[in-house]
Amino acid sequence: MFDPTQESFPNTRLRRLRAADWRRNFVRETALSAADFILPLFVIAGQDRREDISALPGVQRLTIDHAVAMAKDAAALGIPAVALFPAIAPELKTLSGAEALNPNNLVCRAVRTIKASVPNIGVMTDVALDPYTSHGHDGVVMDGDVANDATVEILARQAVILAQAGSDIVAPSDMMDGRVGAIRHALEAAGHANTMILSYAVKYASAFYGPFRDAVGSANLLGSYGGPQHKRGYQMDPANGREALREAALDVAEGADLLMVKPAGTSLDIIYRLTQATAVPVVGYQVSGEYAALMAAAAAGALERIPALMESLHVIKRAGASAIVTYGALDIARVLAPVTGAGGTL
Ligand code: PBG
């Protein structure tokens, strides 16, 4: 039994553990390494172009050739995977998001090219319709709402098309009910037994996705074409924690290999609770708004960019995340690398 009287001053002085770098290094409970990160990349059509994203300073939309170069940099630094998000031309967006099912669409071309050019990096793609719909929702709109079951059928087909293009991880980010099971079933039937499902199991209807929506060009679409003005009908209420356990349990039962919690920084408690409730690895997504907020504060001189970013990632790992999606992956991996070589730890 733990006897609290055993740990008392002056017998115990915790500052002894903190008195020098080597002592602190020696007792550090979690280490960040390049191998923890997934780098998101926004992809656009065309050749040799990069576009700044005003709401997301330091991140750009890239044509496939530049995305390949970034993926090579990531692999060289020991980052295991990239997550691809297409910014689709407005003229290709429709009410049903049909372009999502085109096997030669932008993201499929990007997956094929990256897999062919950077063999030792994992490629993850979102399963959701929002880049492709004229109303910006993750599914099809019927009678003023996003229709669950009709959307799930489309998502299962989208996942197979992404797997066929070479996607190693398909990541349903849509929050429809039952989609993980439908996707797993469709992948098995199509011979993609080794394609992983990273389920956005706990995705909150967050105010922190704004810069991402700007990046993929869906920012001002919600509310148009009869769709709701928000995603609260399918994404979770940030006030809820226990509900996250139900979302996770359902997705695990349906065949999720990995569970995503997002935004990570505002849901550290949820990351922790999922690691207690399930043995499935949990991934935290430091979303666009969290990253942009840090960058804006750093640009304003209110905090130091790299230490603040490092701390924000360290606590996501401490909460229990096995991996972290962050727009800062390359910068942090570069800082970590010189310490102990590529893929080094801090
Ligand atoms: C879309 C999707 C979103 C993000 C990842 N996939 C936005 C949304 O649901 O509106 C957010 C990522 C970020 O903000 O960095 N299915």
Side-chain angles (χ1 to χ4, degrees), residues 77-101:
L77 285 161
I79 293 173
V82 292
L84 304 183
F85 297 101
I88 298 295
E91 56 273 19
L92 288 176
K93 299 191 186 204
T94 60
L95 287 173
S96 67
E99 179 66 6
L101 300 181

Side-chain angles (χ1 to χ4, degrees), residues 126 130 138 173 203 209 212-213 231 235 262 288 327:
D126 245 35
D130 57 308
D138 293 31
S173 67
K203 177 170 182 179
Y209 304 149
F212 176 97
R213 293 180 190 168
K231 298 191 179 183
Q235 298 179 349
K262 75 185 273 198
S288 57
Y327 300 92

Side-chain angles (χ1 to χ4, degrees), residues 314-341:
H314 230 132
V315 299
I316 295 170
K317 181 107 189 245
R318 190 190 67 208
S322 298
I324 306 170
V325 185
T326 172
Y327 300 92
L330 277 176
D331 283 348
I332 292 298
R334 282 194 193 101
V335 174
L336 294 172
V339 182
T340 54

Side-chain angles (χ1 to χ4, degrees), residues 55-104:
L56 201 50
V59 181
Q60 293 180 310
R61 298 183 199 90
L62 307 170
T63 49
I64 293 174
D65 47 320
H66 285 291
V68 166
M70 280 276 208
K72 279 188 179 149
D73 287 351
L77 285 161
I79 293 173
V82 292
L84 304 183
F85 297 101
I88 298 295
E91 56 273 19
L92 288 176
K93 299 191 186 204
T94 60
L95 287 173
S96 67
E99 179 66 6
L101 300 181
N102 170 6
N104 203 32

Side-chain angles (χ1 to χ4, degrees), residues 220-245:
N220 302 314
L221 303 179
L222 293 181
S224 61
Y225 300 98
Q229 246 168 349
H230 55 75
K231 298 191 179 183
R232 292 193 289 275
Y234 43 108
Q235 298 179 349
M236 269 182 58
D237 182 345
N240 294 354
R242 295 173 65 233
E243 187 183 354
L245 302 177

